[in-house]
Amino acid sequence: AVGLRLPGTARLRLGDGAGDIREFTFDGVFPGEAGQQEVFAAVGRPVLEECLRGINGAILAYGQTGSGKTHSLLHQGKSAEEAGLLARVVAGLFAHIAKNTDSLFEIDA
């Protein structure tokens, strides 16, 4: 796993030696030992906060087969500490709704 911590966006340029160069732009990469809470704090919480302000949000996971995309997004875990991004975002959404008793919320599934 690559462990980059860069402010803003980063670019990776890869060449095949025959002149074909490909450039990839990304916001960040988490090391293999990153925990679900660390990923949620960096990715999920900001998207949730913007959605609560009325801005559409999306979280995408892209990578090689077996790299942990499904685990990172959908893992339910046996404890809250193991929960993936989706479970944490949904919990954060309902926690916000429970605190905000002055508004009426409608959730469609």
Side-chain angles (χ1 to χ4, degrees):
V2 177
L4 294 177
R5 299 288 183 206
L6 302 171
T9 59
R11 292 186 183 173
L12 174 66
R13 292 174 54 105
L14 299 174
D16 65 0
D20 185 22
I21 297 175
R22 295 181 185 213
E23 185 172 287
F24 302 90
T25 303
F26 51 92
D27 295 318
V29 176
F30 293 95
E33 61 274 0
Q36 295 284 27
Q37 177 58 34
E38 181 181 357
V39 175
F40 174 74
V43 177
R45 184 174 293 125
V47 172
L48 173 60
E49 289 170 355
E50 291 299 307
C51 288
L52 291 170
R53 291 183 43 230
I55 298 171
N56 291 336
I59 298 173
L60 304 173
Y62 179 81
Q64 182 176 348
T65 300
S67 63
K69 300 175 299 292
T70 302
H71 177 81
S72 294
L73 291 175
L74 303 177
H75 186 65
Q76 292 181 1
K78 295 179 180 169
S79 68
E81 185 65 28
E82 297 176 358
L85 275 173
L86 180 61
R88 290 173 189 266
V89 168
V90 170
L93 173 65
F94 281 100
H96 173 80
I97 290 170
K99 283 190 237 176
N100 191 341
T101 57
D102 296 336
S103 299
L104 177 64
F105 294 90
E106 182 177 325
I107 299 174
D108 294 325

